[in-house]
Amino acid sequence: QVRLVESGGGSVQTGGSLRLSCTASRYTYYMAWFRKVPGKEREGVAVSSGDGRTVYADSLKGRVTVSRENAKNTLSLQMNDLKPEDTGMYYCAVDPGVYRWTTIQALSAKNYAYWGQGTQVTVSS
């Protein structure tokens, strides 16, 4: 079992920035951020794997940066130039399996065993 605690959500105006953090109760090979925005399926935002690889969703590339600190089992997501369409619930997810996922697999919610409760991000115009 892995417990996840997210923090850092909030409300910002268009063009603003937010930094989300996720702390896991133990090390896991894959750590990721997903989001659920109104009217869309849950989608992967960014992934960090234990071999140092990072993966980003094409729709957010250039506006988000993920960073990981293994000593503290934390994963952070820096989001810049936020837009109203980024409004939604952001979730941290982890999977302890040591796999060599493709980009599509890494960004697929069904592959993650443990999920946080989510943190709300609201971007106003």
Side-chain angles (χ1 to χ4, degrees):
Q1 188 74 13
V2 182
R3 295 183 302 278
L4 302 171
V5 177
E6 301 122 325
S7 62
S11 298
V12 296
Q13 293 188 324
T14 298
S17 298
L18 281 173
R19 186 175 181 86
L20 308 183
S21 293
C22 171
T23 300
S25 57
R26 65 174 176 90
Y27 173 82
T28 57
Y29 192 78
Y30 278 99
M31 299 186 77
W33 284 100
F34 286 79
R35 70 179 185 179
K36 178 68 173 73
V37 301
K40 292 188 176 181
E41 301 276 329
R42 187 175 297 195
E43 62 176 340
V45 174
V47 181
S48 172
S49 58
D51 60 358
R53 189 167 62 116
T54 56
V55 170
Y56 296 99
D58 285 343
S59 59
L60 291 149
K61 201 173 291 184
R63 297 197 294 124
V64 299
T65 304
V66 68
S67 57
R68 178 173 180 158
E69 190 170 355
N70 288 329
K72 297 182 179 180
N73 298 326
T74 60
L75 184 73
S76 298
L77 182 70
Q78 178 67 41
M79 302 189 294
N80 300 320
D81 190 25
L82 285 163
K83 308 175 188 300
E85 52 264 40
D86 294 318
T87 294
M89 190 69 79
Y90 286 68
Y91 299 89
C92 179
V94 301
D95 196 276
V98 182
Y99 316 111
R100 182 67 181 178
W101 282 340
T102 64
T103 296
I104 292 175
Q105 289 172 322
L107 290 171
S108 177
K110 66 180 182 180
N111 289 330
Y112 289 81
Y114 303 102
W115 291 80
Q117 294 298 307
T119 185
Q120 177 69 34
V121 170
T122 302
V123 185
S124 58
S125 57

